[in-house]
Amino acid sequence: MKSVNQIAVAVAVVGISVSSGFVAAQTKAPAVKSSTATQAKSSTMLKATMADVLKASQASDWRSLNPENTLYLEMDKGRVVIELAPEFAPKNVANIKALVKEGYFDGLAMIRSHDNYVAQWGDASEKREFKTAAKKVEGEFTIKYQKDTEFTRLPDADGYAPQVGHANSFAAARDPKTQTTWLTHCYGAIGVARGNETDSGNGSSLYAVTGHAPRNLDRNITVVGRVMYGIELLSSLPRGTGALGFYEKAEERTPIKTVRLAADVPEAERSKLEVFRTNTTSFKALVEAQRNRGGDWYKFAANHIELCNVPIPVRVVK
Amino acid sequence: MKSVNQIAVAVAVVGISVSSGFVAAQTKAPAVKSSTATQAKSSTMLKATMADVLKASQASDWRSLNPENTLYLEMDKGRVVIELAPEFAPKNVANIKALVKEGYFDGLAMIRSHDNYVAQWGDASEKREFKTAAKKVEGEFTIKYQKDTEFTRLPDADGYAPQVGHANSFAAARDPKTQTTWLTHCYGAIGVARGNETDSGNGSSLYAVTGHAPRNLDRNITVVGRVMYGIELLSSLPRGTGALGFYEKAEERTPIKTVRLAADVPEAERSKLEVFRTNTTSFKALVEAQRNRGGDWYKFAANHIELCNVPIPVRVVK
């Protein structure tokens, strides 16, 4: 296990730091509570912070990424680690893996960075050949679930879906009426770009959400996974100045060296990451810690958490 | 008025483009609707898009930024334009203006870029002298409102506040029980960094929200305005590698040339911007266009919009 600082960087994938001193001035005055603060701060706030929950977590609260479903997107500045979720989009994930295995993405580039929205990559010329992968894949905007399919519901209501929560460390939603489920467009979500036709996407152009969750996209496009590490390499790209944030000139595009499946990478070169499980009592404690923040800094307890504000911590292991 | 492209850049402050072709593949196939798509798409989706609403807007649907409450933060790469909202935080805004007038920020730097959270600036050494500004300013986390105070409520419920909506082109919330209102932490919101004490902020270190709205901060810290133009200069900063995204070395900090009040800048050097008014029927139409997206791309209508997904367009005028 590396330092807390590195955990913080990983956890920052979902925008939450393990410290409770958010937006604090650099030099912190001692926490002398004013009477107003004491008044506003309910007893529920004197409990564990997220840092406490993570510190108390056991090995069983974490799982490794599945190398058969994990992609390494390599750029000059480093590696972006993406875990795919075939249970939500089997056909699209299979096609993306086929594209990766045939080296489709190697030497391509980031083609778009749209502020507060998405970073997108692929073949700007759209001339690259598909060797084994399909050119058209049916959109998997939602998928049927079974009674025993894992889903840990959030306690709070959501405006975009009848139910929201987590499945296998991914943010997801459900509609019990139609017995359908789908991955949601939270920060770091990876989706399959498409044209107007629902089967016009094939995974050769993917995007990562790099801004406030565009939940309006849910059920309109196929989400296939999320960035587990290195999202800052995508979110800090210079913004494209063309329509929709596309880059106007080839030289503005950040090159992709390779995209490989973790299982195809020698073990010594793999990123050793673990993600917090979302079907545990520890995860419930983490959600509660974030619903009503502990620590000295917070004065008002929200008593609520919105789906895309729930952190799903990732840590670097030895 | 400049090109639509420039409007798009400005509108991108809130992450929405005037085009409805979100996350589209680069080459769009003609919009041949599949039977599934036609089935899912309700008649409400055949109405105006946001682009239609903006195109049909009148001069009276827009207002200029108030030069007495507008700041220009100048960096090598360009200008960030911030409009302050003294009606929500009179004491903090007054102190920030005092700091700006005494040249406090000139030659300082971006000290923090925390992925999916905030960019923050100020004096890393905290040694710079205050000439006329106060060192401690009471936090204005909420403020009382009057019966006739402008507020356009959103039709949809919110988990973080009893009521949400807009006031004078700012995203805001209300609690009728306490007759209080506050600005919310949507993308681009500007807040006053503080330590644990509620009066430990003074405006000498400010942050801009550059990720998914951290609404848990609402009512815990003073929000003073929002970025109206140039947010991408803050959101694409390299991330800091220290705890909480602070930069660890001085050379990593992007310098601030000056921060000036627009009213103190010669008229020829001012940014000519207009923001969409939020108390109009045009704004209501815009909200409805975003609640249920029109155009050919969307197949499923959300019939909902979350506060921080509501665009508040800004345009460049001649």
Side-chain angles (χ1 to χ4, degrees), chain B residues 6 28 34 45 63 75 78 81 141 179 181 206 215 218 250 263 276 291 295 297-298 315:
Chain B
Q6 269 177 290
K28 283 182 201 166
S34 73
M45 294 183 71
R63 68 166 176 83
M75 296 189 291
V81 180
F141 304 165
Q179 297 278 301
T181 186
L206 296 168
R215 296 280 308 282
D218 290 0
F276 210 57
R291 291 181 78 248
W297 194 88
Y298 278 89
R315 68 180 183 183

Side-chain angles (χ1 to χ4, degrees), chain A residues 22-25 27 29 112 115 117 126 160 187 194 196 207 212-213 216 220 235 293 297-300 306, chain B residues 22-25 27 112 115 117 126 160 187 194 196-197 207 212-213 216 220 235 297-300 306:
Chain A
F22 293 169
V23 200
T27 305
R112 176 186 188 194
D115 193 65
Y117 196 40
E126 295 196 322
Y160 288 99
Y187 192 82
R194 68 163 173 87
N196 285 343
Y207 62 90
H212 188 78
N216 46 285
N220 276 295
S235 57
R293 306 284 181 120
W297 194 86
Y298 277 88
K299 312 305 179 190
F300 179 85
E306 191 246 319
Chain B
F22 291 169
V23 200
T27 305
R112 176 186 187 194
D115 192 65
Y117 196 40
E126 295 198 320
Y160 289 100
Y187 192 81
R194 68 164 172 88
N196 285 343
E197 292 171 279
Y207 62 91
H212 188 78
N216 47 285
N220 275 296
S235 57
W297 194 88
Y298 278 89
K299 311 305 177 189
F300 179 86
E306 191 246 320

Side-chain angles (χ1 to χ4, degrees), chain B:
Chain B
M1 186 77 55
K2 295 200 188 165
S3 75
V4 171
N5 191 15
Q6 269 177 290
I7 295 181
V9 172
V11 172
V13 165
V14 285
I16 307 291
S17 159
V18 291
S19 161
S20 61
F22 291 169
V23 200
Q26 274 198 294
T27 305
K28 283 182 201 166
V32 180
K33 286 169 202 151
S34 73
S35 60
T36 322
T38 312
Q39 201 180 351
K41 194 160 175 169
S42 75
S43 61
T44 57
M45 294 183 71
L46 303 172
K47 60 175 177 41
T49 64
M50 183 166 95
D52 297 330
V53 174
L54 293 180
K55 202 174 167 191
S57 68
Q58 305 296 309
S60 58
D61 289 322
W62 302 82
R63 68 166 176 83
S64 303
L65 307 191
N66 181 346
E68 292 294 343
N69 292 321
T70 299
L71 303 181
Y72 296 152
L73 185 158
E74 309 279 357
M75 296 189 291
D76 276 342
K77 288 195 177 171
R79 174 183 285 179
V80 178
V81 180
I82 294 164
E83 193 178 38
L84 300 168
E87 56 277 26
F88 283 91
K91 291 172 194 166
N92 283 270
V93 166
N95 211 52
I96 291 165
K97 286 169 69 172
L99 286 161
V100 166
K101 289 208 177 252
E102 68 185 51
Y104 179 86
F105 297 99
D106 302 353
L108 292 181
M110 294 291 140
I111 57 174
R112 176 186 187 194
S113 174
H114 188 155
D115 192 65
N116 190 21
Y117 196 40
V118 296
Q120 186 176 335
W121 57 95
D123 176 18
S125 73
E126 295 198 320
K127 286 180 182 165
R128 186 167 288 211
E129 204 189 335
F130 283 48
K131 288 170 192 156
T132 60
K135 280 249 174 189
K136 282 193 172 198
V137 181
E138 197 185 304
E140 293 162 304
F141 304 165
T142 67
I143 196 160
K144 290 277 177 186
Y145 66 83
Q146 307 302 318
K147 270 190 185 165
D148 59 350
T149 305
E150 182 193 321
F151 188 66
T152 304
R153 267 189 84 174
L154 269 192
D156 298 310
D158 182 85
Y160 289 100
Q163 297 182 359
V164 291
H166 296 84
N168 193 31
S169 309
F170 292 96
R174 278 189 170 194
D175 183 353
K177 272 192 198 162
T178 54
Q179 297 278 301
T180 54
T181 186
W182 57 95
L183 293 181
T184 53
H185 279 84
C186 293
Y187 192 81
I190 299 288
V192 173
R194 68 164 172 88
N196 285 343
E197 292 171 279
T198 58
D199 66 350
S200 56
N202 54 43
S204 64
S205 193
L206 296 168
Y207 62 91
V209 173
T210 55
H212 188 78
R215 296 280 308 282
N216 47 285
L217 295 176
D218 290 0
R219 292 188 262 187
N220 275 296
I221 194 162
T222 307
V223 179
V224 290
R226 81 161 171 117
V227 175
M228 293 288 187
Y229 204 83
I231 184 72
E232 69 278 8
L233 298 176
L234 302 176
S235 57
S236 64
L237 288 170
R239 277 34 177 168
T241 50
L244 301 173
F246 281 99
Y247 295 112
E248 295 179 280
K249 294 173 191 165
E251 60 266 32
E252 295 172 324
R253 298 182 191 122
T254 303
I256 293 170
K257 294 200 284 194
T258 56
V259 178
R260 291 174 299 171
L261 193 69
D264 294 339
V265 169
E267 204 149 336
E269 295 171 31
R270 294 187 195 165
S271 298
K272 304 296 185 297
L273 299 174
E274 290 183 342
V275 61
F276 210 57
R277 292 184 191 274
T278 51
N279 59 348
T280 61
T281 53
S282 294
F283 183 69
K284 283 192 174 150
L286 181 151
V287 168
E288 188 47 36
Q290 297 298 97
R291 291 181 78 248
N292 292 303
R293 305 282 181 122
D296 288 319
W297 194 88
Y298 278 89
K299 311 305 177 189
F300 179 86
N303 195 31
H304 176 84
I305 196 160
E306 191 246 320
L307 176 66
C308 297
N309 280 119
V310 176
I312 310 170
V314 173
R315 68 180 183 183
V316 179
V317 292
K318 270 192 224 168

Side-chain angles (χ1 to χ4, degrees), chain A residues 87 142-146 149 177-181:
Chain A
E87 58 277 25
T142 66
I143 195 160
K144 290 277 178 187
Y145 65 83
Q146 308 303 319
T149 306
K177 272 192 197 163
T178 55
Q179 297 278 302
T180 54
T181 186

